[in-house]
Amino acid sequence: MADDENVVTTTSGPVRGLDDGITKSWRGIRYAAPPTGERRWRAPVPPEPWADVVDATTFGPVAPQPNNPVITLGPGAVKDEDCLSLNVWSASVVTPDDPRPVMVWIHGGAYIFGTSSQPLYDGRALVSDGDVVLVTVNYRLGALGFLDLSSFSTDERVFDTNLALRDVILALQWVQDNIAGFGGDPERVTLFGESAGGGIVTTLLTVPAASGLFSRAIAQSSPATSVYDSARAKRAADIFLQKVGVEPDSVATLYDMPVDRLVSAGLELFSDVPAATPGTLAFAPVVDKDLLPDYPLAAARAGRSNPVPLIIGTNKDEAALFKWMKSPLMPITPDAIRAMFAEIAAEQPELKLPSEAEIGSAYSGLKMKAAGLAVARDVGFRMPTIWLAEAHSAVAPVYLYRFDWATPMLRALRVGATHATELPYVWGNLVAGRKDITFKLGGLKVGKALSARLQNRWVNFAVDGHPGGLPGDPEWPPYVPDQRATLVIDRQDKVVDDLDRDLRAAWGTEVLNFL
């Protein structure tokens, strides 16, 4: 039967996908057993194998999460704890004996929102030319994926750490074991992600258990320094228990607690933590001395990051989205920024922090509100990205970028090239339905050309580790101390040497240890 051409046998059992004549896709493939019941807050394990062909033509459930009008989960999305699935995308017509490089996508969403099945991440435009095989991954979110309850473990009851990181690692192991059956090359796997997904990428760069599971990495707008120690994670866990009304000696009751209650308490914690301690996230990876031995930046500075080529960068106006959404996640006002630095000074008084005047030297000429947005952008995204680029470049090629393009409408709304605005260009999905206003004032022709350039660089990087451009595009050199080349992605791309010179001088290197 013709349908049998869409059946692939995995290590767990056969799955049948669908073929639309341009692309093939296999959706909702289970890569882990359901993380439910007593498997809540436990490391993922492979699923029980199956013998019959499983239908893989619809996306799997979405990880339990609060509703968010900004994030469209997709038509018919169902939230369920049994969410550990992935999707594979490939061109319909390929040479079977010529394995293609693989790109594995980790979605963003502040570690509490999002899913691999969002319409934005439809893989058809990215794979239709037949150059890559694409995998998009679900992982646990919020309290179910990032709450660290390990301090309450006993001999009879164990709570594992960094559950979402472990989910992604198991998914990457699935790719190593199975992707050849879908036409992919397990020796050429590029891990890429944005925002929280980018944070998972930069964290996994320094996780020993992830070594060898991917050979290149792309981190878009990674909050690379939003990784916390076990003491801070314990404080978050204590607050969470208070919110759900559970005493420390009754933690086992969490196994049977309705998931909606856990999600609701997680949302409260998500909002309360950055409000009380600006610049701090409720949910993020934890230095547990087990899976994650050290802060990623500290490990990278010590030469302990996995030596794979890396593309890393941020958007010019990252913080504008958080201001527009009135989000507590980023300290934008002067009072919030001062509170953040006061907290840092109290936690680590031995650090020599830059003064307001020293940091302000990089933002001279900006009005107070604009300066607050710039400081928030740089403390949350740009400076961690620069520090990681500097450190990782000692062990592997690094390519640094800044995404500057904004459509006339986004400029009119005063959000510019804000957080996540590069995503439609990476995916080639520029218009999200009739209600999308992004191009209502023009810019679509420029946007299509920019998307072609950006996709070409990302795919070329997946092919051979070098982000070569289209004919006529500028050569993008690696980031090295003598040059510090940065690709500025805009209406017309350009390479600028040491684009961030003033920022580096103002922020220095001492501050990276507390972030």
Side-chain angles (χ1 to χ4, degrees):
M1 294 176 60
D3 280 352
D4 288 344
E5 296 177 2
N6 298 326
V7 173
V8 175
T9 299
T10 72
T11 50
S12 296
V15 293
R16 176 181 284 114
L18 54 86
D19 188 342
D20 63 13
I22 299 175
T23 59
K24 293 182 178 182
S25 62
W26 294 262
R27 308 179 184 191
I29 302 175
R30 182 187 296 278
Y31 70 85
T36 56
E38 292 192 358
R39 294 222 60 82
R40 273 183 180 172
W41 293 291
R42 294 304 311 271
V45 296
E48 289 292 325
W50 57 86
D52 295 334
V53 176
V54 168
D55 179 81
T57 60
T58 57
F59 292 114
V62 171
Q65 60 192 273
N67 294 326
N68 186 334
V70 177
I71 297 178
T72 303
L73 298 178
V78 175
K79 299 174 184 176
D80 194 286
E81 278 189 88
D82 186 9
C83 62
L84 297 183
S85 66
L86 51 77
N87 318 296
V88 181
W89 302 78
S90 170
S92 292
V93 180
V94 294
T95 304
D97 57 354
D98 185 19
R100 288 151 289 152
V102 182
M103 300 183 72
V104 178
W105 174 250
I106 311 301
H107 70 79
Y111 299 114
I112 192 173
F113 302 111
T115 181
S116 64
S117 58
Q118 290 172 234
L120 176 59
Y121 307 139
D122 185 295
R124 281 173 281 197
L126 197 57
V127 306
S128 59
D129 287 342
D131 295 320
V132 296
V133 174
L134 172 70
V135 179
T136 59
V137 177
N138 276 1
Y139 56 93
R140 282 173 280 183
L141 299 172
L144 292 165
F146 291 93
L147 190 69
D148 186 349
L149 295 170
S150 61
S151 59
F152 301 103
S153 290
T154 65
D155 291 340
E156 297 78 26
R157 181 188 63 231
V158 175
F159 295 100
D160 291 315
T161 57
N162 285 311
L163 299 164
L165 295 183
R166 297 178 192 272
D167 292 344
V168 174
I169 288 171
L170 186 59
L172 288 168
Q173 290 171 339
W174 184 96
V175 169
Q176 288 295 310
D177 294 338
N178 293 286
I179 205 62
F182 298 86
D185 183 355
E187 298 297 319
R188 290 185 293 169
V189 174
T190 297
L191 184 66
F192 73 131
E194 182 268 346
S195 192
I200 289 175
V201 170
T202 53
T203 301
L204 290 182
L205 274 176
T206 63
V207 170
S211 179
L213 296 180
F214 57 97
S215 51
R216 333 199 198 293
I218 302 174
Q220 302 166 207
S221 300
S222 167
T225 49
S226 292
V227 178
Y228 305 124
D229 64 16
S230 295
R232 188 179 291 193
K234 171 68 163 58
R235 293 198 296 272
D238 289 340
I239 297 171
F240 182 85
L241 292 183
Q242 293 172 15
K243 289 184 178 297
V244 294
V246 170
E247 296 295 328
D249 58 359
S250 301
V251 174
T253 60
L254 290 174
Y255 292 137
D256 301 317
M257 187 168 288
V259 68
D260 288 348
R261 187 174 176 189
L262 300 175
V263 170
S264 177
L267 179 60
E268 290 182 29
L269 188 67
F270 173 78
S271 300
D272 291 352
V273 167
T277 55
T280 302
L281 302 178
F283 302 117
V286 174
V287 179
D288 56 9
K289 307 298 184 181
D290 175 22
L291 186 78
L292 184 57
D294 201 351
Y295 294 97
L297 270 173
R301 292 180 78 197
R304 297 196 304 271
S305 52
N306 296 324
V308 301
L310 171 68
I311 290 176
I312 189 167
T314 63
N315 295 356
K316 184 179 181 181
D317 306 299
E318 292 277 4
L321 175 69
F322 299 91
K323 178 185 178 185
W324 179 70
M325 293 174 59
K326 296 181 172 59
S327 169
L329 291 183
M330 296 195 74
I332 291 172
T333 66
D335 287 346
I337 292 170
R338 291 189 185 101
M340 177 186 68
F341 275 87
E343 168 99 2
I344 292 163
E347 283 190 5
Q348 300 193 50
E350 72 280 4
L351 287 176
K352 180 184 179 298
L353 304 184
S355 67
E356 275 193 50
E358 289 170 325
I359 293 177
S361 67
Y363 309 99
S364 59
L366 294 179
K367 294 182 179 179
M368 183 172 290
K369 287 184 178 180
L373 284 171
V375 172
R377 170 199 67 201
D378 296 334
V379 73
F381 295 103
R382 190 62 186 176
M383 286 311 304
T385 287
I386 293 169
W387 290 323
L388 190 61
E390 298 260 352
H392 192 68
S393 66
V395 299
V398 173
Y399 299 90
L400 181 66
Y401 75 86
R402 193 180 75 189
F403 185 87
D404 284 18
W405 165 250
T407 66
M409 176 60 81
L410 294 182
R411 293 197 297 271
L413 292 173
R414 298 185 179 181
V415 295
T418 192
H419 192 65
T421 52
E422 88 286 3
L423 287 175
Y425 304 96
V426 170
W427 288 90
N429 301 322
L430 299 189
V431 180
R434 290 177 294 176
K435 295 182 179 181
D436 187 349
I437 64 172
T438 305
F439 294 97
K440 293 299 184 183
L441 296 180
L444 185 57
K445 182 178 179 181
V446 174
K448 288 180 177 178
L450 188 154
S451 179
R453 297 196 307 270
L454 191 55
Q455 284 192 325
N456 189 72
R457 289 194 186 275
W458 265 221
V459 168
N460 283 344
F461 182 74
V463 171
D464 62 11
H466 180 262
L470 292 167
D473 289 346
E475 177 67 19
W476 186 4
Y479 186 89
V480 295
D482 291 342
Q483 185 180 10
R484 295 190 169 91
T486 303
L487 179 70
V488 177
I489 302 168
D490 206 338
R491 177 184 291 269
Q492 291 185 325
D493 298 345
K494 61 182 179 181
V495 173
V496 178
D497 289 345
D498 208 357
L499 177 69
D500 303 290
R501 179 187 296 109
D502 292 344
L503 287 182
R504 289 191 303 104
W507 285 91
T509 57
E510 285 288 337
V511 292
L512 72 83
N513 294 299
F514 64 71
L515 294 173

